Amino acid sequence: MYSFNNDYSEGAYPGILEKLMETNLIQTVGYGLDEYCKEAEKLILKHIEKEDSHVHFISGGTQANLLAISSFIKPYEAVITVTTGHINVHETGSIEGTGHKILTKYASDGKVTPEIIDALMEENTTEHMVKPALIYISDSTEVGTIYTKSELEELRHSADKHGLILFMDGARLGAALTADANDLTMADIAALTDAFYIGGTKNGALFGEALVINNERLNEDFRYMEKQKGAMLAKGRMLGIQFMELFKDNVFYDLAAHANKCAAIIKDALLDKDIEFKYEPESNQLFPIFTYKDIDKLSKDYLFSIDSKVDEEHACVRIVTSWATKESAVEEFVKAIKEL
Ligand SMILES: Cc1ncc(COP(=O)(O)O)c(C=O)c1O
């Protein structure tokens, strides 16, 4: 069995493990105040061309979303996103658990638009309702699509028009920024959002996300929140060391580009067979529509998940490649697709 189930099925990029070994016996202070975290923050700030932003290393995506959103907004305030938004469907109500309602609209491409924001603002206008305060977007999105620079600029404009915080979940930011159709840089994202995070877990780290806060007001007392919610690791150095390695040379982008390259080979094979996609195949998550018969055939040797039923004979499946996907496995998978 070879798994195309996710991009966190493997351990870690070997350079990270080597760095962890190399630094293993060096003593440091704890809780993210060590030299490695400081160096990783410096590298990230230089990369995003924003010396005045702040970086907090968090262990996972749900934790990053929960911490950021619950500390950025007031008790009665709400979050705007699309129905497919990760916080809406795959985080066990963690945001709602902190008292914040999530307001959603459906988008066929998984992307928030100014029209969605306007509509939700119009539906929530008085103190008898929740007050929209933050826009949550993911790049790449949960359905594998990516935001263009002009779309992000429009969202910034909309956020400013309505006085909203713009927060980007970058669990798969590497895959977004190395996609063929991408025209954004991480510096653009830092300039256009109030906060975003750079995903490590799904791009070669053992675990970890780097939350970047660009709006000074939102950074106030953030470390108190981090500690109170149990997210401040005594051995925070584990995160700093990993991000130091990811931001050395071009590692972060090289790892993500590999995942996209493998996905593109699979995508081309599917297109050759005239297989349709539920969502535009733009990054390392593909959503082709197969017959149940073909799903059974492929499932004998490959692991992937069913996204949704299309009709009695067809379902949309989710195929994901990673920084560590073997090219030989991709070749074999392509052969199997050709034989469908
Ligand atoms: C877009 C997005 N955000 C957040 C997460 C949550 O990350 P974690 O599983 O590390 O909590 C995921 C996980 O799949 C994700 O796809």
Side-chain angles (χ1 to χ4, degrees), residues 109-163:
D109 59 1
K111 296 196 251 183
V112 178
T113 59
E115 291 71 32
I116 287 176
I117 297 166
D118 286 345
L120 289 169
M121 291 305 294
E122 275 167 28
E123 289 169 18
N124 293 275
T125 51
T126 82
E127 62 273 26
H128 298 276
M129 298 160 175
V130 290
K131 185 178 180 190
L134 182 144
I135 306 161
Y136 166 93
I137 58 173
S138 306
D139 197 24
S140 59
T141 69
E142 294 74 3
V143 299
T145 52
I146 62 167
Y147 281 89
T148 63
K149 188 170 177 182
S150 72
E151 286 169 340
L152 194 61
E153 283 168 345
E154 281 171 20
L155 289 178
R156 176 74 262 165
H157 180 73
S158 177
D160 290 341
K161 180 173 91 173
H162 295 296

Side-chain angles (χ1 to χ4, degrees), residues 6-8 59-65 85-87 90-91 136 138-142 169-172 197 201-202 208-209 285 318:
N6 239 312
D7 36 17
Y8 45 85
S59 59
T62 305
Q63 178 77 272
N65 287 334
H86 204 264
I87 54 166
H90 272 276
E91 297 187 8
Y136 166 93
S138 306
D139 197 24
S140 59
T141 69
E142 294 74 3
D169 173 334
R172 294 193 176 83
Y197 76 80
T201 304
K202 297 172 179 73
E209 327 295 315
Q285 297 181 85
R318 176 176 178 264

Side-chain angles (χ1 to χ4, degrees), residues 257-267 321-322 325-327 330:
H258 174 81
N260 282 344
K261 184 178 136 197
C262 291
I265 295 170
I266 297 170
K267 175 188 81 174
T321 53
S322 86
T325 295
K326 287 186 187 154
E327 291 188 27
V330 171

Side-chain angles (χ1 to χ4, degrees), residues 60-311:
T62 305
Q63 178 77 272
N65 287 334
L66 172 63
L67 260 181
I69 294 172
S70 64
S71 66
F72 292 168
I73 63 179
K74 294 183 186 140
Y76 50 85
E77 290 183 329
V79 181
I80 286 175
T81 191
V82 281
T83 48
T84 45
H86 204 264
I87 54 166
N88 190 47
V89 281
H90 272 276
E91 297 187 8
T92 327
S94 70
I95 302 301
E96 292 94 327
T98 59
H100 301 291
K101 188 164 179 167
I102 301 177
L103 305 167
T104 63
K105 291 275 179 209
Y106 174 74
S108 60
D109 59 1
K111 296 196 251 183
V112 178
T113 59
E115 291 71 32
I116 287 176
I117 297 166
D118 286 345
L120 289 169
M121 291 305 294
E122 275 167 28
E123 289 169 18
N124 293 275
T125 51
T126 82
E127 62 273 26
H128 298 276
M129 298 160 175
V130 290
K131 185 178 180 190
L134 182 144
I135 306 161
Y136 166 93
I137 58 173
S138 306
D139 197 24
S140 59
T141 69
E142 294 74 3
V143 299
T145 52
I146 62 167
Y147 281 89
T148 63
K149 188 170 177 182
S150 72
E151 286 169 340
L152 194 61
E153 283 168 345
E154 281 171 20
L155 289 178
R156 176 74 262 165
H157 180 73
S158 177
D160 290 341
K161 180 173 91 173
H162 295 296
L164 302 169
I165 294 162
L166 182 57
F167 172 59
M168 179 189 282
D169 173 334
R172 294 193 176 83
L173 190 56
L177 296 182
T178 55
D180 283 347
N182 173 65
D183 64 351
L184 274 168
T185 64
M186 215 184 280
D188 293 331
I189 291 170
L192 292 167
T193 62
D194 293 283
F196 70 104
Y197 76 80
I198 306 165
T201 304
K202 297 172 179 73
N203 194 33
L206 273 177
F207 59 91
E209 327 295 315
L211 174 66
V212 183
I213 303 181
N214 307 309
N215 177 335
E216 193 63 34
R217 179 178 67 81
L218 302 180
N219 193 57
E220 202 184 310
D221 292 341
F222 190 82
R223 276 179 60 83
Y224 284 84
M225 196 70 175
E226 198 181 332
K227 178 68 187 179
Q228 192 185 52
K229 298 278 182 213
M232 191 184 281
L233 302 184
K235 288 189 184 170
R237 62 186 274 170
M238 292 294 144
L239 292 160
I241 291 166
Q242 294 188 76
F243 274 91
M244 250 173 64
E245 193 60 21
L246 286 176
F247 277 84
K248 195 178 84 180
D249 306 325
N250 211 39
V251 172
F252 180 78
Y253 294 99
D254 290 344
L255 293 173
H258 174 81
N260 282 344
K261 184 178 136 197
C262 291
I265 295 170
I266 297 170
K267 175 188 81 174
D268 288 344
L270 293 166
L271 288 173
D272 280 349
K273 293 285 284 186
D274 290 330
I275 288 172
E276 287 182 16
F277 289 81
K278 180 170 173 185
Y279 304 109
E280 189 65 24
E282 297 196 280
S283 61
N284 70 323
Q285 297 181 85
L286 304 174
F287 293 84
I289 296 170
F290 286 136
T291 61
Y292 281 107
K293 218 171 87 194
D294 285 345
I295 292 174
D296 285 346
K297 269 193 214 161
L298 289 173
S299 297
K300 290 199 175 79
D301 297 308
Y302 299 97
L303 209 60
F304 49 82
S305 57
I306 305 255
D307 171 73
S308 51
K309 180 177 168 176
V310 172
D311 57 35

